[in-house]
Amino acid sequence: MKRILSGIKPSGDLNIGGYSGALQQYVAMQHEYENFFFVPDLHAVTVPQDPLELYHRSKEIAAFYVAAGVDPAKSAIFLQSQVSAHAELGWLMETQVHFGELSRMTQFKDKSDGKDAVSSALFTYPALMAADILLYQATHVPVGEDQKQHVELTRDLATRFNNRFGETFTVPEPIIQDLGCRIMSLDDPSKKMSKSNPNKNSYVLLLDEPDTIRKKLSRAVTDSEMSVRYDPENKPAVSNLLEIYSIFSEEPISVIEKRYEGQGYGGFKKDLAEAVISKLEPIQRNFREIIDSEELVRILKDGAERASAVANETLLKAKKAMGFLTF
Ligand code: TYM
């Protein structure tokens, strides 16, 4: 049986990077797997969060899953904090991970860089992420490139635990698509597209209005060559726009390159904006319908129940293996 576990943190407004590296993969892959798509709200509080914002953003991420096409009948959609096995196995995984391993995590280094007060949870975060995945015996974890190191560590921890305590966890495989696994900032193609960038024109949000999307994409940096050609090394900015175009129009890059052969960037950027807008429009419409509905609450309650059944079973198995009394 093939099983997926994945999620998007409710720590900021969702941008097209998260859509490209994660959400659109969930939608595309869901029919071939048994799926657990969760909102990692416990991960969001590893950095300071305004309670009201956390509340709304957690609901929003869940609503985006449904709005983009994740089928709640097929996939369990739930909030991490509503399945207490996550926190419990997270602690047990902290006992297995080494300080040195956590110190090597590039995301911790990036997020703690220059800050004088960093929570210890930000440091131990990958142990909780390993628990998220291992609780569901996930065989596959679709993520963007920046999460690869965390999934690799999860594999190491699963193997270590199984060797020490007996076969308990499935060792998961990351699924990182070739295109769109690392969407870069529109103002600087050397940086990942991220909502923490103070320049609002550097990202497109899933809830941006059409005119905002047109404006942001028309201002995206390119280069002086004036040819629409995919060459990530020498033309990182244009290649990034081509990846976005390909993800949103569902056309191969070669077809897009051909269409703009011998032309500059003006028409290409305009059409790119329309491709993004036409994909986001129905998602935004569905989002508005579901965000304040009883239906969303029902989906999340049902998802948490389905998730808990699987997670509690794995937790019990892990606790027994470690020697805890479980009567
Ligand atoms: P998060 O919330 O930062 O990102 C959610 C997903 O979106 C991908 N992503 C991107 N992909 C392409 N280009 C970008 N610019 C971009 N920005 C984000 C991320 O790679 C990710 O797949 N630690 C995780 C959340 C998490 C999780 C898990 C994921 C917690 N437990 C278990 C999978 C399985 C995170 O912070 O992702």
Side-chain angles (χ1 to χ4, degrees), residues 7 9 17 21 38 125 129 132 143-144 146-147 181 183 192-193:
K9 244 184 2 253
F38 78 134
Y125 177 123
M129 179 155 164
D132 299 336
V143 282
D146 62 344
Q147 295 300 318
C181 69
I183 296 296
K192 193 186 75 161
M193 182 180 283

Side-chain angles (χ1 to χ4, degrees), residues 104-302:
R104 283 194 290 277
M105 294 293 117
T106 54
Q107 199 154 67
F108 173 74
K109 289 189 212 165
D110 293 347
K111 291 201 168 168
S112 57
D113 193 32
K115 305 219 168 71
D116 28 271
V118 172
S119 76
S120 56
L122 186 66
F123 185 66
T124 57
Y125 177 123
L128 180 60
M129 179 155 164
D132 299 336
I133 297 167
L134 300 179
L135 275 175
Y136 299 91
Q137 307 288 11
T139 52
H140 295 89
V141 187
V143 282
E145 177 38 56
D146 62 344
Q147 295 300 318
K148 186 173 176 198
Q149 198 185 26
H150 291 156
V151 182
E152 298 288 344
L153 180 63
T154 302
R155 289 171 56 83
D156 292 345
L157 293 179
T159 308
R160 181 175 305 158
F161 191 102
N162 289 346
N163 288 340
R164 243 176 226 171
F165 303 111
E167 207 55 35
T168 306
F169 297 124
T170 302
V171 180
E173 295 280 343
I175 300 188
I176 300 169
Q177 60 191 5
D178 290 339
L179 274 193
C181 69
R182 192 169 171 79
I183 296 296
M184 309 310 275
S185 196
L186 299 177
D187 64 344
D188 177 355
S190 70
K191 285 199 212 124
K192 193 186 75 161
M193 182 180 283
S194 158
K195 50 239 167 180
S196 57
N197 188 323
N199 177 5
K200 286 193 165 48
N201 288 323
S202 71
Y203 49 75
V204 172
L205 299 176
L206 254 60
L207 287 180
D208 273 347
E209 296 289 337
D211 275 345
T212 310
I213 297 175
R214 288 187 188 105
K215 193 184 75 194
K216 287 178 172 178
L217 288 171
S218 74
R219 288 185 185 165
V221 296
T222 47
D223 55 36
S224 54
E225 198 199 41
M226 300 305 275
S227 88
V228 179
R229 193 162 56 75
Y230 189 70
D231 177 353
E233 204 149 291
N234 301 306
K235 291 170 69 67
V238 172
S239 301
N240 185 46
L241 296 181
L242 269 166
E243 289 202 24
I244 298 173
Y245 199 140
S246 172
I247 292 282
F248 279 85
S249 67
E250 295 178 35
E251 292 172 304
I253 292 217
S254 56
V255 169
I256 304 168
E257 280 176 329
K258 193 131 201 111
R259 184 175 307 140
Y260 299 99
E261 214 170 81
Q263 302 176 37
Y265 297 135
F268 165 68
K269 281 176 156 185
K270 267 201 188 116
D271 295 347
L272 164 63
E274 296 315 313
V276 172
I277 291 165
S278 65
K279 180 64 97 190
L280 291 186
E281 214 187 15
I283 298 178
Q284 295 182 349
R285 208 177 326 114
N286 296 342
F287 176 91
R288 288 192 193 99
E289 255 172 45
I290 191 140
I291 184 67
D292 290 316
S293 68
E294 271 304 308
E295 167 81 355
L296 184 61
V297 176
R298 197 188 54 70
I299 289 170
L300 289 173
K301 278 188 176 162
D302 173 62

